[in-house]
């Protein structure tokens, strides 16, 4: 598919990103600080409100357009991990939130007055086994009382709202294996320091990730999204959006690594000729390009299915898998192509190398994607 209609969006994102060069990201990376100015610029330009419908003040764009925005951010050498949650949590609110919730939150998010950047699913003891999560939200009059702990809740310190998955019915009393979990949209501002504690986790890249402790946090009952007990289903469909958008980010990363490697291979002269004249150098770059293009097609297919509200679990998972593998292979190739200079901070390669490594683990690890395809597409027995 030729995305001619997305060309102007791509160009505007590129133009915005040009104001945030490698020097900007390197400084933040060294200090492990959040890219406030970059996120503010994206918000002001309306890019973070891409998936908010126009009637709520957003840009009302499609999933393919949102994916193009994230891809261009990465392909420009920037890091969209600072803000991608605002896009991928949107599907859950749009598809399952009430009219009142949409009217209350979406216009303020679109205006940049409210930040929805935190998505609290993973817990220390449950890991990938989401159904065994232990955080509870128990109804008490007009409130739910939340207790538990989340881990890897990225950007919680830089977000006002958090989309939270918690158990509302004990597992043994739930009507099915997947029932009994609920999704809440929590306004954290009222609870930070009052039962809700956020502790940053320092990681190998600058990701602003945290652990969140919830102790007797009494949230209004109208924080519940959709029907109590149906949260796992809502989160699964939201996760498809997350996978597609992160896959698009990986495509952007792969493009950045491939461009860097090809440029360097054309210019760097060793033994009296450009290193790119050696097939041992050019073939890995060509292979990375082929893998990136194949993954890109799957990302587009998954995004188109999502947009059409069709089942896209397999395609979203395959897109994330192919794109994450393609970006990681391109990162390794780019480092190798640059020889020793690839390790120097000022080339940005080692930074992007660390950043893109995340995506074969999060938001879902490779093994779990393979299990999904084995079970749901190939009809093999469930392995866990
Ligand atoms: C930087 C960062 C940011 C993140 N941001 C967020 C966020 O904002 N919100 C959020 O909710 N979560 C977030 N996560 C969590 C992320 O989604 C999980 O780390 C990821 O899903 C893997 O879960 P886990 O770390 O618990 O690994 P585990 O589930 O403990 O798995 C460990 C390893 O074992 C493998 N494994 C486990 N079970 C099986 C099996 N049955 N078959 C084969 N292999 C298996 C996995 O593939 C993995 O390689 C983030 C994580 C990181 C590192």
């Amino acid at each position: 598919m030729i995305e001619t209609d997305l060309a102007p969006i791509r160009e505007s994102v590129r133009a915005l990103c040009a104001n945030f060069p490698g020097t900007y990201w390197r400084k933040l990376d060294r200090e492990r600080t959040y890219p406030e100015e970059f996120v503010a610029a994206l918000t002001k330009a309306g890019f973070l409100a891409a998936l908010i419908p126009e009637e709520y003040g957003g840009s009302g764009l499609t999933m393919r357009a949102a994916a193009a925005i994230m891809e261009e951010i990465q392909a420009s050498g920037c890091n969209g991990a600072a803000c991608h949650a605002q896009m991928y949590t949107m599907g859950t609110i749009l598809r399952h939130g009430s009219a009142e919730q949409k009217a209350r939150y979406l216009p303020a998010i679109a205006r940049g007055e409210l930040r929805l950047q935190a998505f609290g699913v993973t817990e220390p003891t449950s890991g990938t086994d989401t159904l065994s999560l232990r955080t509870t939200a128990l109804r008490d009059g007009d409130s739910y009382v939340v207790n538990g702990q989340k881990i890897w809740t990225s950007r919680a310190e830089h977000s006002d709202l958090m989309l939270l998955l918690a158990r509302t019915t004990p597992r043994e009393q739930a009507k099915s294996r997947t029932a009994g979990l609920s999704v809440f949209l929590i306004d954290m501002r009222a609870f930070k320091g009052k039962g809700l504690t956020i502790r940053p986790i320092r990681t190998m890249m600058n990701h602003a990730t945290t652990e969140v402790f919830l102790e007797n946090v009494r949230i209004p009952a109208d924080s519940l999204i959709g029907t109590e007990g149906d949260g796992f289903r809502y989160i699964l469909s939201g996760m498809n959006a997350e996978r597609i958008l992160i896959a698009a980010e990986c495509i952007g990363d792969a493009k950045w690594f491939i461009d860097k490697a090809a440029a360097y291979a054309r210019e760097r002269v060793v033994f009296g000729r450009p290193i790119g004249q050696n097939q041992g150098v050019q073939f890995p770059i060509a292979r990375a390009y082929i893998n990136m293009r194949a993954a890109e097609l799957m990302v587009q297919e998954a995004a188109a299915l999502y947009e059409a509200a069709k089942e896209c679990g397999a395609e979203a998972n395959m897109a994330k898998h192919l794109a994450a593998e393609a970006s990681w292979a391109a990162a390794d190739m780019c480092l190798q192509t640059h020889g020793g200079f690839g390790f120097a901070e000022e080339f940005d390669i080692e930074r992007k190398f660390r950043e893109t490594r995340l995506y074969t683990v999060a938001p879902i690890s490779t093994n779990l994607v393979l299990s999904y395809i084995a079970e749901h597409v190939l009809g093999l027995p469930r392995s866990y």
Side-chain angles (χ1 to χ4, degrees):
M1 186 182 312
I2 301 169
E3 297 173 308
T4 44
D5 55 328
L6 297 179
I9 292 178
R10 288 179 179 276
E11 271 166 39
S12 331
V13 177
R14 285 266 179 178
L16 185 152
C17 289
N19 299 319
F20 299 92
T23 43
Y24 173 77
W25 294 100
R26 259 173 258 150
K27 183 168 184 297
L28 296 174
D29 183 61
R30 239 176 268 131
E31 296 165 0
R32 290 292 193 276
T33 40
Y34 188 72
E36 302 275 3
E37 306 80 2
F38 175 67
V39 176
L42 284 175
T43 306
K44 190 162 172 242
F47 291 127
L48 289 192
L51 294 176
I52 300 180
E54 282 174 308
E55 60 179 301
Y56 297 111
S59 318
L61 296 173
T62 59
M63 178 55 80
R64 274 175 291 189
I69 293 168
M70 297 316 300
E71 182 196 313
E72 291 300 332
I73 289 172
Q74 300 303 115
S76 306
C78 300
N79 188 0
C83 51
H84 50 199
Q86 190 131 309
M87 285 190 190
Y88 64 63
T89 47
M90 204 44 71
T92 307
I93 299 169
L94 287 176
R95 289 183 178 181
H96 309 290
S98 66
E100 197 276 319
Q101 285 167 328
K102 291 179 205 172
R104 189 182 337 154
Y105 293 115
L106 297 183
I109 295 173
R111 286 194 300 272
E113 293 161 11
L114 261 186
R115 300 164 301 171
L116 169 55
Q117 296 290 3
F119 188 37
V121 176
T122 311
E123 297 188 1
T125 54
S126 62
T128 310
D129 182 10
T130 306
L131 291 173
S132 73
L133 63 76
R134 294 184 184 171
T135 297
T136 53
L138 301 180
R139 184 76 190 242
D140 182 26
D142 287 344
S143 317
Y144 282 92
V145 180
V146 186
N147 278 289
Q149 185 193 343
K150 295 288 169 182
I151 194 166
W152 307 120
T153 314
S154 302
R155 302 159 299 274
E157 293 169 293
H158 306 281
S159 187
D160 303 308
L161 306 173
M162 168 166 60
L163 205 61
L164 176 89
L165 187 66
R167 183 159 283 286
T168 37
T169 307
R171 210 171 177 180
E172 49 293 351
Q173 290 169 23
K175 57 182 191 291
S176 73
R177 197 177 66 84
T178 54
L181 296 177
S182 302
V183 178
F184 298 90
L185 186 59
I186 299 185
D187 191 339
M188 291 189 288
R189 291 171 300 178
F191 307 110
K192 282 185 184 173
K194 293 179 208 140
L196 189 148
T197 310
I198 302 172
R199 281 203 208 131
I201 305 176
R202 198 177 161 95
T203 55
M204 68 189 249
M205 66 292 182
N206 187 20
H207 198 87
T209 198
T210 74
E211 51 187 341
V212 176
F213 299 84
L214 301 127
E215 200 182 339
N216 289 324
V217 175
R218 187 174 279 275
I219 54 171
D222 65 3
S223 313
L224 175 74
I225 299 276
T227 307
E228 187 184 296
D230 282 353
F232 187 66
R233 188 165 59 81
Y234 304 159
I235 287 288
L236 281 189
S237 91
M239 280 174 171
N240 287 334
E242 182 180 29
R243 278 160 210 182
I244 293 166
L245 290 167
I246 286 180
E249 289 180 51
C250 291
I251 297 297
D253 276 345
K255 288 184 177 177
W256 186 89
F257 288 119
I258 292 164
D259 285 353
K260 277 264 172 193
Y264 190 74
R266 281 191 295 268
E267 284 159 21
R268 170 76 170 166
V269 175
V270 180
F271 296 113
R273 59 182 185 173
I275 57 168
Q277 201 175 331
N278 302 300
Q279 290 185 333
V281 174
Q282 58 181 232
F283 283 7
I285 307 176
R287 190 182 299 278
Y289 180 80
I290 293 168
N291 288 339
M292 176 278 292
R293 286 288 292 127
E296 188 177 37
L297 293 178
M298 185 58 81
V299 177
Q300 285 173 6
E301 176 164 337
L305 288 170
Y306 183 92
E307 245 169 68
K310 292 194 177 146
E311 175 49 45
C312 65
E315 289 76 12
N317 273 293
M318 290 190 286
K320 205 292 293 185
H321 177 74
L322 289 170
E325 298 258 310
S327 72
W328 174 234
D332 196 35
M333 171 282 292
C334 186
L335 196 103
Q336 193 72 18
T337 305
H338 280 75
F341 288 111
F343 294 84
E345 227 182 28
E346 68 182 272
F347 280 70
D348 291 312
I349 293 161
E350 59 83 34
R351 171 179 63 82
K352 293 279 279 181
F353 180 93
R354 286 182 280 116
E355 286 169 0
T356 213
R357 182 62 183 85
L358 175 64
Y359 298 118
T360 58
V361 172
I364 182 170
S365 62
T366 299
N367 280 359
L368 271 292
V369 172
L370 296 174
S371 300
Y372 181 94
I373 298 301
E375 182 187 341
H376 296 282
V377 179
L378 303 175
L380 295 169
R382 186 179 170 82
S383 63
Y384 55 89

